[in-house]
Amino acid sequence: MADWNTLFYDQKNIELAPEPEVVKFIELLAKEFPNQQERRVWDLGCGGGRHSVVMGKMGCEVFISDNSSKAIELTTKKLEENHIDYVEALTSMENYPWSKKEFLHGVFSWAVLQHNTLDKIIEAIDCIYDSLIAGGYFLGTIKSTKADLYGKGEEIEKDTFVLEVGIEEGVPHHYFDEDGIKQLFPDDKWEMIILAEQVVNYIEKTEEFWSFNPFRYTTWCVLVKKR
């Protein structure tokens, strides 16, 4: 059974290049909060630190969290090599990691929230909400029910599946349809800025293609603003 700490000890499981969306996100925060010398941004599920370094280099005060001690070690090493100050927390996504609330300008979480059961994902969204100032932003991606791996593995609850093979064997994956993703971000708490479903149709694929797949997966892309 895989766990994230074990996975991060193998270099081949660590993404190195940052997603371009993180640059756009930090640019948005700079535009929305022009009077702040430093925007405070949380990289939730920092992994190997590829996005945390970008945040720091773009002038943000960086907050990182992950439930893997190896991920924290990798990220802090990269931040220190780049002379970037940071605040760290070793914790699972559904546990609020910071000593104060409503102090962050942005939260970024790429392909992280789906790795849990629905109740814990909802708790993680509550943590994000609690951390943000009014007008703060969250940008993240979450798996769609249209993804090729939907339905693969053991279903432990509705729309949550645990893969039985591959590097993420034993890791839960929750998938959302449109109604489900909107329920995560209710109108009384969040203003939906962009909700996009990136759908990738694999016309041909071999068995267990996900173990080496170089392409994107079908996913929801969410940009919301705290009311």
Side-chain angles (χ1 to χ4, degrees):
M1 178 176 177
D3 66 81
W4 291 112
N5 213 44
T6 302
L7 290 172
F8 283 124
Y9 271 95
D10 192 331
Q11 184 67 36
K12 74 174 186 294
N13 298 327
I14 301 172
E15 296 279 359
L16 298 178
E19 302 292 338
E21 286 84 349
V22 69
V23 175
K24 291 287 188 182
F25 184 55
I26 302 307
E27 289 176 344
L28 171 65
L29 296 182
K31 179 181 177 181
E32 291 293 299
F33 303 102
N35 297 323
Q36 293 291 326
Q37 187 173 0
E38 285 188 324
R39 267 70 60 181
R40 294 181 294 275
V41 185
W42 176 11
D43 187 1
L44 194 167
C46 57
R50 59 188 178 132
H51 298 122
S52 303
V53 171
V54 174
M55 294 171 182
K57 286 187 173 182
M58 293 183 70
C60 295
E61 185 178 350
V62 181
F63 294 75
I64 63 170
S65 71
D66 206 289
N67 68 347
S68 162
S69 59
K70 185 61 178 179
I72 295 293
E73 176 188 330
L74 290 168
T75 301
T76 55
K77 181 181 179 183
K78 288 181 181 178
L79 292 171
E80 289 168 1
E81 288 173 347
N82 285 276
H83 308 289
I84 296 169
D85 293 332
Y86 61 88
V87 179
E88 66 179 279
L90 175 62
T91 185
S92 55
M93 68 177 76
E94 70 274 12
N95 293 318
Y96 191 81
W98 314 119
S99 60
K100 57 183 177 179
K101 296 185 177 182
E102 297 184 345
F103 72 107
L104 296 174
H105 299 95
V107 179
F108 182 91
S109 186
W110 193 269
V112 171
L113 295 175
Q114 64 231 19
H115 293 120
N116 225 324
T117 53
L118 179 58
D119 59 336
K120 291 185 178 181
I121 295 172
I122 292 171
E123 290 178 23
I125 299 296
D126 288 341
C127 290
I128 293 168
Y129 183 86
D130 288 343
S131 73
L132 288 169
I133 64 171
Y137 286 84
F138 166 72
L139 187 149
T141 64
I142 312 178
K143 288 286 190 185
S144 166
T145 51
K146 296 177 184 175
D148 280 62
L149 288 180
Y150 176 76
K152 300 294 191 299
E154 178 188 359
E155 187 171 20
I156 60 173
E157 65 177 16
K158 186 178 185 303
D159 294 330
T160 302
F161 299 87
V162 177
L163 292 176
E164 298 169 343
V165 294
I167 62 170
E168 293 187 5
E169 175 189 357
V171 176
H173 293 73
H174 188 87
Y175 300 80
F176 291 88
D177 59 15
E178 183 175 342
D179 287 340
I181 202 75
K182 287 180 177 178
Q183 288 173 15
L184 278 183
F185 303 95
D187 290 341
D188 61 330
K189 290 186 173 183
W190 300 97
E191 178 186 355
M192 184 66 71
I193 306 301
I194 299 174
L195 177 60
E197 187 178 23
Q198 293 182 340
V199 180
V200 180
N201 293 315
Y202 293 99
I203 307 306
E204 295 185 19
K205 56 184 182 292
T206 61
E207 290 294 322
E208 300 182 15
F209 72 100
W210 59 83
S211 65
F212 59 87
N213 181 28
F215 305 114
R216 285 185 179 267
Y217 293 98
T218 295
T219 188
W220 290 104
C221 302
V222 182
L223 177 64
V224 289
K225 182 177 182 179
K226 179 176 175 177
R227 293 191 185 278

